[in-house]
Amino acid sequence: MSGDGWSRRRFVGVLARAAGAAAALPAAACVGPSEPDGPSPTATGPGAGAGASGRDPSGPRRLLLGTYTSAEGGGTGIGLAEYDPGTGRITGRGVLAEVDDPSYLAVHPDGRTLYAVNERADGAVTAVRLSDRRVLGSRSTSGAAPCHLSVHPGGRWLLSANYGSGSVAVHPIDASGALGERTGLVTHSAPPPGPGQQGPHAHQVLTAPDGRHVLAVDLGTDTVYTYRLDEDAGTLAEVSRARTRPGAGPRHLAFHPGGRHAYLANEVDNTVAVCAYDPGTGRLTVGDAQSTGAEPAPGSGANYPAQLLVTSDGAHAFLANRGHDSITRYAVEDRGARLRLLDTVPVGGDFPRQIAFSPDGGLLFAANQRSGTVSVFRVSGDGGELRLAGEPFASPVAVCALPL
């Protein structure tokens, strides 16, 4: 979800649709056999090891695409494509699985199972086995409009963020990759909503590099919450809160590989902030607001920055700017403690909602929601410069691009 008027209207529509019926998800679907992709490397950005997944790094690789199936002109499920790691060229391969409103995707650390949110008022998460495209089932998140999910590094727990209800859910993952019933749920009932917000809006949930703490970014309460995950019970216990300045609207957090700093994209006030992080306590400290380099021209509307990425060598960071239709490039300095704005690059599409590195870090993918396209950039290994790789690929209401 996002803070602009377009997304607010869409969220109201999501709630209205759920008044008639809950989201219907297929119990299983076998579209046809395909070769498993194998484990996917965890390192991203320039400096990551090419070929760490065990496949030929020069051969075509899978690209999975998230969409809104309920939106006008949207897709019919999780899109399937292939990309050339050398050229960045994308070739469509149809649909991986017919799943409702799969607006965000994440893959299991072993590379065998894909997880998708079902961003509807009666929210759910769905598991899909990649080897044969079989839908392994879905589970309720006990919340509204889940918009983000991530797999705990141990591979036993799935974490999801319910935007509409401002809550975070935990589901167990069994040996097959399928999901069990929810074991944990926390709702952001305090502090009160920030300026212009009617309630909490959990927008992201991720595990810190130390592996012991889970952080949830809430746009509605201007707060990043730190939790400790009980890996036996699958429950979350709050350990600290980090407040942004009022009305910042934090949306997305990305860690520096050193593990002691992170970078926060603030959607509502169009800023970023460098955060200090203590791995021992899980405490995050939010620094001063900085420019996104994407200040809109008069009358052009707001920017609404979306997602941040940090290269695996920790030298550069990238920010997707939806209103400005660009990607901001930062130099990361002082061992992660400072961001220096370098430039902005046109994204070649409209409303870049999400960005992602290829596993070897040589490519950056941008999912452009309003133009229904995916742009691909080559990322230089020294200066982090971005160079558009060919024409954008058409994909219905593209809101997530996950290269494997």
Side-chain angles (χ1 to χ4, degrees), residues 2-11 304 351 370:
S2 61
D4 64 324
W6 184 89
S7 293
R8 290 181 191 280
R9 291 194 297 273
R10 188 184 184 284
F11 179 57
Y304 304 116
F351 218 65
R370 290 179 178 168

Side-chain angles (χ1 to χ4, degrees), residues 52-247:
S53 66
R55 298 186 63 178
D56 178 3
S58 63
R61 299 187 61 90
R62 275 182 172 177
L63 177 68
L64 306 178
L65 302 163
T67 185
Y68 285 120
T69 59
S70 61
E72 182 178 355
T76 58
I78 300 168
L80 177 62
E82 289 182 341
Y83 69 95
D84 184 316
T87 65
R89 179 181 175 83
I90 300 174
T91 304
R93 296 292 183 233
V95 177
L96 180 81
E98 293 185 355
V99 174
D100 292 326
D101 289 322
S103 64
Y104 200 86
L105 311 172
V107 71
H108 192 279
D110 67 12
R112 300 181 183 279
T113 310
L114 177 74
Y115 301 98
V117 298
N118 306 114
E119 193 177 330
R120 297 195 161 191
D122 187 7
V125 284
T126 296
V128 181
R129 190 166 61 203
L130 289 172
S131 61
D132 58 4
R133 311 183 195 182
R134 179 185 173 92
V135 176
L136 301 177
S138 63
R139 299 289 185 177
S140 170
T141 61
S142 301
C147 65
H148 186 271
L149 80 175
S150 59
V151 183
H152 187 264
R156 296 178 52 226
W157 305 102
L158 182 72
L159 311 165
S160 56
N162 291 307
Y163 179 90
S165 50
S167 59
V168 174
V170 185
H171 288 82
I173 300 173
D174 68 22
S176 72
L179 299 170
E181 291 291 348
R182 178 184 57 76
T183 55
L185 183 73
V186 292
T187 300
H188 300 155
S189 57
Q197 302 295 324
Q198 284 71 53
H201 293 304
H203 218 309
Q204 181 197 25
V205 58
L206 74 163
T207 304
D210 59 66
R212 298 186 299 275
H213 298 100
V214 170
L215 288 87
V217 181
D218 196 295
L219 182 150
T221 62
D222 291 327
T223 301
V224 180
Y225 301 81
T226 298
Y227 298 98
R228 188 176 291 277
L229 173 67
D230 184 325
E231 295 191 50
D232 293 322
T235 55
L236 296 170
E238 185 179 323
V239 297
S240 68
R241 298 176 188 174
R243 300 293 305 277
T244 68
R245 65 182 185 177

Side-chain angles (χ1 to χ4, degrees), residues 44-47 255-258 263 309-318 329-336 338-342 357 379-385:
T44 56
F255 274 92
H256 184 270
Y263 313 105
L309 294 179
V310 183
T311 56
S312 63
D313 60 6
H316 294 90
F318 301 93
R329 184 171 62 109
Y330 295 94
V332 180
E333 300 174 336
D334 194 15
R335 288 186 272 185
R338 191 161 76 98
L339 288 180
R340 179 167 56 88
L341 196 154
L342 296 175
F357 288 126
V379 186
S380 72
D382 46 6
E385 289 89 356

